[in-house]
Amino acid sequence: PSVAVHLAHIRTSSLSARLLFSKMPRTPIIGGNWKCNLASMKDAETLLEAWKGQPFDKTKVEVVICPTSVHLPAVKLGLEGLGMQVAPQNVSATGLGNFTGELAVESLVDFGVP
């Protein structure tokens, strides 16, 4: 098929997908990336304690928190216990291997982080 046929197919597929998704109910997502703002594990624990008193309706909003790599293992269960999802701030584009400072998707999945 010609390039024009491929482009027409892409446009049609894209339009079909937009129409399908436009009719589906949307759940807002609130994301929080800690960057490097927390200096210690005590700061992370203080933040988790503060959030315990702030319930939200999980059927109306998804909350995703991206802690630093060093805090992620320690706060994962606490965040999930509050109904929040946990995600890494960064993931290696290369996968497993000898790449200093990178987080491989395989390692995160093994740890239970989608």
Side-chain angles (χ1 to χ4, degrees), residues 45-55 78 82 84:
E45 291 167 353
T46 300
L47 188 55
L48 287 178
E49 278 300 314
W51 283 340
K52 284 183 181 176
Q54 306 299 318
L82 296 171
M84 300 177 186

Side-chain angles (χ1 to χ4, degrees), residues 2-68:
S2 70
V3 171
V5 170
H6 283 295
L7 290 175
H9 175 70
I10 290 169
R11 277 194 291 271
T12 304
S13 298
S14 178
L15 178 61
S16 298
R18 281 193 305 238
L19 289 173
L20 173 66
F21 288 119
S22 70
K23 296 180 188 311
M24 296 175 65
R26 293 182 174 187
T27 302
I29 297 173
I30 298 173
N33 186 338
W34 287 6
K35 304 284 184 190
C36 286
N37 290 307
L38 299 180
S40 68
M41 190 57 217
K42 182 161 178 42
D43 291 342
E45 291 167 353
T46 300
L47 188 55
L48 287 178
E49 278 300 314
W51 283 340
K52 284 183 181 176
Q54 306 299 318
F56 62 94
D57 188 342
K58 296 169 204 68
T59 64
K60 294 183 178 178
V61 66
E62 290 182 47
V63 177
V64 181
I65 304 297
C66 304
T68 64

Side-chain angles (χ1 to χ4, degrees), residues 84-103:
M84 300 177 186
Q85 298 175 45
V86 181
Q89 292 181 7
N90 187 32
V91 176
S92 173
T94 58
L96 294 172
N98 54 343
F99 305 102
T100 303
E102 294 292 333
L103 290 173

